[in-house]
Amino acid sequence: MTQQTPKPALSDLDEAALFFHRYPEPGKLEIQATKPLGNQRDLALAYSPGVAAPCLAIADDPATAALYTARANLVGVVSNGSAVLGLGNIGPLASKPVMEGKAVLFKKFAGIDVFDIEIDAPGIDAMVSTVAALEPTFGGINLEDIKAPECFEVEEQLKARMNIPVFHDDQHGTAIIVAAAVLNAMELAGKDIGEVKIVTSGAGAAALACLNLLVSLGARRENIWVTDRFGVAYKGRVDEMDRWKDPYVKDTNARTLVDVIGGADVFLGLSAAGVLKPELLAHMAPNPLILALANPVPEIMPELARTARPDAMICTGRSDFPNQVNNVLCFPYIFRGALDVGATAINEEMKMAAVRAIAALAREEPSDVAARAYATETPTFGRDFLIPSPFDPRLILRIAPAVAKAACDSGVATRPIADMDHYIDRLNRFVFRSGLVMKPVFSAARGASARRVIYADGEDERVLRAAQVVLEEGIARPILIGRPSVIDTRLRRYGLKVKPGVDFDLVNPEDDPRYRDYVDHLIQLAGRRGVTQEAARTLVRTNTTVIAALALVRGEADAMICGLEGRFERHLRNVDLIVGRREGVRDLSALSMLIMQRGVTFFTDTYVSVDPTAEEIAEMTLLAAEEIRRFGIEPKAALLSLSNFGSRDTPSTLKMRKAAALVAEMAPDLEADGEMHGDSALSVVLRNRVYPHSKLTDEANLLVFPTLDAANIALTTVKALTDALHVGPILLGTARPAHILTPSVTSRGVVNMTALSVVEASQSAPALPANEGLTTTG
């Protein structure tokens, strides 16, 4: 019997990825109907006999398919699995998770629907004939993970045969981002792209596409030197040479990267880890650009490159270093612009437009909203900011219109855009509804200086799992409150590898050396509010929320999270008592965010004030608006009521009417209005029928309720009906970042709130030293 080699143990990330892909449903995609099918007439319109009318219309005029079907917003992501990520030729079936992932990115970043199609077609002819036959289904084709040099031939033949855009993202997506980085780097270095020397390591699909696009931008072929695993592409070489490399072949005696790196202004690496040795950098030109794009380990690590050449500008493919070359910066938005004008191709003019739009965005002064999507220090154009962040909400607003205009100007648009301002306004509405709201929050949390987040429920499985993710993501330094023996047992039970005292700090409520100091501090804060010495001793020994709150006000933590067990009101009393309120805040309130398929909506006040006054409602609206801006979103507030712009007068509607007037007086620049119905808040069409002069210009993203009953019922009902992800409750008005979650929260919810807490802490005043400057207004 042949003994089988045991499979290597899966990493934590691998296990998490397998679980993510399997539950609650296998895969990452589903198909949803966009039309109601609630009665017999709906069925008759959707299928037989009603469907005959659009069929005949399309048969008469094929262009009307864009009006009556989803084709104009549908892209096919096609692969034969011959060059998947860093996994190689794993075949079409094994490539399906990657293609589903690509589909998700199209949908989330640009609202484009995708069918992922994995085809068993290893040969060029089979692949071309299969993909070409799909043209009636799609508005565009995104080729993915096809090995070189076959990918060049496949794309070339498909572009000649098909009358829709065909785009091999591995080639052109990478090339567009690289070209934008090169343009900006050369501007900073004061160099002319037509004069610079460019040296590559790697000569695959992406590398050659990068060079071809750089030539289109003005680089000269005679200044470009190509190397790969067989060395320099020289005249007479036979190993892995083809017509795609021929334009860059040199009549030279140079044979290796070492021979050609001297005087290079740009190093373009799309090869393998460690190829570019630090000692080679000394031979490059002043202010060189190093594009070390191998993943996960680049050709040279940025810290090594920086040590060897402090004047270098460095890009990688990794998210944990500045200047990430990430295809998601462009491919969703290029297709968005191409589809919106019915382009028959993605031509050089459209690619060049994308390059210049991306380069220009990095040079823009960040807007107030966009700046909040980054870390505490807003990035500005320079050596560490040559290209925008993949999560900059302005990408779609710059790239898609530029590509659409280039398509119109170059004659490949079948549906030219008549009103570009109106088109950009449509894209603006998509940005707000995209559901990617937590992306910039996590980016900002990772970019913030190290922050300590204390968890009152440190023994809870959800907190333990969240702590591991928080550490892996580099979001914060966790502090867990719990008994060491219990935490140690549970870490082993759940297979978690984090260690107390090494990866996170531990506060033992049964034996902490600061116990007496905590008791004294609690009496100092609450002795005049009914807390006796005996009660203080008991609370500090038994109430983990009290311990966390005291650690926070003493400056031993920068943010706190509690509430996974017990009643919200009990935790709220302790937080209000110890942490207190910001100066000038009347009362605390809670903001909840639901991330749904249709986008993001905020609800307030969902957990605190039972029957707030008009003044308190106005205050919570302003606090909520301030918090929403942390997400890089401009708030649009609707104050809700059973009255629709004065249709009824009741105590509740009069209260909301007064609150709306107070908001308008206190924050005239805030887009807010009321009182109104919920459907008027969420539908511009309905609102304009009732009151066309509303201050709201779009769908509201902040719903403000008259009572806690109304807010909490609406939140929990919508959450259940839409299967939405709840982020929150986000406690507003506290003196320091303190959040009370609910027993239904998941570990994912704990991680989300941790990231938000870190951003709040980093954007507020630095933590005070212990026992200094303590004030409470609660």
Side-chain angles (χ1 to χ4, degrees):
M1 181 180 293
T2 303
Q3 187 174 1
Q4 292 186 341
T5 303
K7 291 184 178 180
L10 293 174
S11 69
D12 291 337
L13 180 62
D14 289 339
E15 290 182 350
L18 290 175
F19 185 90
F20 177 87
H21 281 78
R22 184 172 180 180
Y23 299 102
E25 299 291 340
K28 298 186 284 278
L29 300 172
E30 66 177 5
I31 295 176
Q32 289 190 338
T34 60
K35 297 294 189 293
L37 297 172
N39 54 42
Q40 185 61 39
R41 180 169 176 78
D42 290 342
L43 293 174
L45 291 171
Y47 198 53
S48 180
V51 76
C55 288
L56 293 172
I58 295 168
D60 183 56
D61 180 3
T64 60
L67 303 177
Y68 301 126
T69 74
R71 181 177 187 261
N73 195 51
L74 187 62
V75 166
V77 172
V78 184
S79 180
N80 64 358
S82 58
V84 179
L85 294 173
L87 305 176
N89 187 355
I90 60 174
L93 182 58
S95 76
K96 190 170 179 64
V98 180
M99 303 313 126
E100 285 189 356
K102 193 83 171 192
V104 169
L105 295 179
F106 267 109
K107 185 66 175 180
K108 284 294 185 182
F109 281 94
I112 294 171
D113 295 315
V114 165
F115 290 156
D116 65 291
I117 300 177
E118 297 75 33
I119 57 178
D120 188 6
I124 292 173
D125 292 342
M127 189 160 196
V128 169
S129 61
T130 301
V131 177
L134 298 172
E135 181 170 348
T137 301
F138 296 107
I141 296 290
N142 182 97
L143 299 174
E144 192 77 14
D145 291 350
I146 305 165
K147 69 185 180 74
E150 288 88 339
C151 60
F152 300 115
E153 192 70 46
V154 168
E155 185 187 41
E156 186 176 81
Q157 290 190 32
L158 287 174
K159 289 171 75 171
R161 289 179 57 173
M162 302 180 78
N163 205 37
I164 58 174
V166 177
F167 187 82
H168 186 206
D169 183 48
D170 298 324
Q171 292 183 56
H172 308 299
T174 302
I176 286 165
I177 310 304
V178 164
V182 170
L183 275 186
N184 281 342
M186 295 306 98
E187 178 176 315
L188 280 173
K191 298 178 180 180
D192 181 348
I193 193 170
E195 303 299 325
V196 298
K197 180 179 180 180
I198 300 170
V199 175
T200 77
S201 174
L208 293 175
C210 291
L211 296 179
N212 293 339
L213 192 54
L214 290 174
V215 169
S216 296
L217 283 167
R220 297 210 302 250
R221 284 192 174 91
E222 56 264 34
N223 294 335
I224 296 173
W225 294 77
V226 172
T227 74
D228 59 16
R229 65 195 181 103
F230 291 100
V232 173
Y234 63 88
K235 189 174 182 179
R237 192 182 113 176
V238 295
D239 294 315
E240 288 193 4
M241 295 302 293
D242 52 58
R243 66 186 178 97
W244 311 101
K245 293 177 187 171
D246 284 348
Y248 302 104
V249 167
K250 295 287 191 295
D251 187 359
T252 178
N253 293 323
R255 292 295 182 265
T256 68
L257 177 63
V258 176
D259 297 332
V260 298
I261 194 70
D265 298 280
V266 178
F267 170 82
L268 173 60
L270 284 153
S271 54
V275 167
L276 184 62
K277 305 302 180 187
E279 57 268 24
L280 296 183
L281 270 61
H283 303 291
M284 295 184 72
N287 299 306
L289 172 63
I290 299 168
L291 294 142
L293 306 182
N295 254 330
V297 183
E299 285 79 2
I300 186 169
M301 292 299 291
E303 57 267 24
L304 290 176
R306 185 75 67 201
T307 300
R309 286 298 298 264
D311 62 334
M313 295 167 278
I314 306 165
C315 300
T316 70
R318 292 169 46 146
S319 61
D320 52 345
F321 295 108
N323 293 324
Q324 183 193 12
V325 175
N326 187 331
N327 288 14
V328 82
L329 271 165
C330 70
F331 74 79
Y333 317 120
I334 289 172
F335 269 97
R336 181 72 280 157
L339 293 173
D340 289 341
V341 296
T344 57
I346 294 175
N347 57 25
E348 287 302 305
E349 292 87 346
M350 295 160 74
K351 288 188 283 185
M352 294 287 284
V355 170
R356 298 192 185 282
I358 293 167
L361 179 56
R363 297 193 295 267
E364 281 188 32
E365 288 294 325
S367 67
D368 290 343
V369 174
R372 296 186 189 98
Y374 291 96
T376 51
E377 190 171 317
T378 303
T380 55
F381 179 54
R383 293 177 178 272
D384 290 331
F385 194 68
L386 297 173
I387 43 181
S389 161
F391 306 122
D392 193 318
R394 297 169 296 173
L395 283 165
I396 192 172
L397 305 177
R398 301 294 185 272
I399 300 173
V403 169
K405 184 177 186 302
C408 295
D409 293 345
S410 61
V412 297
T414 61
R415 298 190 304 276
I417 293 172
D419 186 342
M420 190 60 71
D421 289 338
H422 177 68
Y423 175 59
I424 293 173
D425 184 55
R426 278 175 45 209
L427 295 176
N428 255 311
R429 290 200 294 272
F430 170 76
V431 170
F432 137 64
R433 292 182 55 178
S434 68
L436 289 166
V437 65
M438 290 305 298
K439 296 282 188 181
V441 172
F442 273 80
S443 178
R446 291 188 198 98
S449 57
R451 296 285 168 172
R452 303 155 299 167
V453 177
I454 189 165
Y455 301 84
D457 304 288
E459 297 177 0
D460 192 285
E461 176 186 357
R462 293 163 292 178
V463 169
L464 294 172
R465 293 191 181 279
Q468 177 148 322
V469 174
V470 164
L471 286 162
E472 289 173 353
E473 294 286 328
I475 295 171
R477 171 78 178 184
I479 305 171
L480 273 56
I481 301 175
R483 294 162 291 177
S485 60
V486 173
I487 288 178
D488 185 60
T489 298
R490 292 181 179 177
L491 287 173
R492 288 200 306 272
R493 181 191 304 165
Y494 306 138
L496 301 175
K497 297 176 181 176
V498 290
K499 298 186 186 327
V502 178
D503 301 305
F504 63 89
D505 300 315
L506 187 60
V507 175
N508 181 4
E510 296 178 342
D511 183 19
D512 190 280
R514 297 164 295 187
Y515 171 73
R516 292 185 182 277
D517 294 336
Y518 275 34
V519 171
D520 291 342
H521 208 122
L522 181 57
I523 293 170
Q524 176 190 341
L525 292 171
R528 291 181 178 273
R529 299 179 64 184
V531 177
T532 65
Q533 278 200 334
E534 183 178 349
R537 285 194 290 269
T538 302
L539 286 170
V540 172
R541 187 69 79 192
T542 63
N543 192 311
T544 56
T545 296
V546 168
I547 297 170
L550 287 168
L552 182 63
V553 299
R554 286 167 55 86
E556 295 163 359
D558 302 301
M560 68 168 281
I561 290 177
C562 64
L564 278 77
E565 297 178 6
R567 293 183 179 277
F568 186 94
E569 313 87 77
R570 177 170 60 85
H571 297 290
L572 181 65
R573 283 196 300 270
N574 289 322
V575 169
D576 198 9
L577 180 71
I578 299 168
V579 179
R581 306 170 194 171
R582 275 169 46 181
E583 185 176 354
V585 171
R586 288 182 176 83
D587 198 5
L588 302 180
S589 56
L591 177 70
S592 290
M593 176 172 66
L594 290 186
I595 303 176
M596 300 169 277
Q597 285 294 105
R598 70 180 304 278
V600 176
T601 305
F602 295 86
F603 297 66
T604 196
D605 168 19
T606 48
Y607 282 90
V608 178
S609 299
V610 175
D611 187 11
T613 64
E615 290 75 14
E616 289 168 340
I617 289 170
E619 178 183 80
M620 72 175 64
T621 303
L622 300 185
L623 289 172
E626 176 186 295
E627 189 69 26
I628 290 170
R629 291 190 177 101
R630 293 190 199 278
F631 295 90
I633 295 176
E634 192 58 40
K636 301 175 186 293
L639 281 71
L640 303 184
S641 170
L642 62 89
S643 170
N644 208 21
F645 296 103
S647 62
R648 294 186 64 178
D649 289 338
T650 69
S652 174
T653 61
L654 294 174
K655 176 175 72 172
M656 296 306 285
R657 199 174 302 164
K658 180 180 178 183
L662 289 170
V663 169
E665 179 183 339
M666 297 161 67
D669 294 333
L670 175 64
E671 202 168 312
D673 208 345
E675 79 286 6
M676 70 179 77
H677 287 172
D679 54 1
S680 293
L682 298 174
S683 170
V684 178
V685 173
L686 288 176
R687 186 166 65 245
N688 285 341
R689 287 177 188 167
V690 179
Y691 185 66
H693 308 294
S694 173
K695 189 176 179 181
L696 281 178
T697 59
D698 208 331
E699 298 177 16
N701 54 17
L702 170 59
L703 305 181
V704 184
F705 293 84
T707 65
L708 183 59
D709 270 352
N712 194 268
I713 290 169
L715 171 73
T716 53
T717 302
V718 172
K719 178 185 173 185
L721 288 174
T722 61
D723 196 26
L725 172 65
H726 178 209
V727 178
I730 303 166
L731 195 59
L732 305 177
T734 54
R736 295 169 188 250
H739 295 292
I740 306 165
L741 307 186
T742 60
S744 63
V745 72
T746 63
S747 61
R748 180 186 183 190
V750 177
V751 172
N752 282 336
M753 287 306 300
T754 300
L756 183 58
S757 299
V758 169
V759 174
E760 289 178 343
S762 65
Q763 292 179 350
S764 58
L768 294 173
N771 297 311
E772 289 185 19
L774 292 174
T775 60
T776 61
T777 58

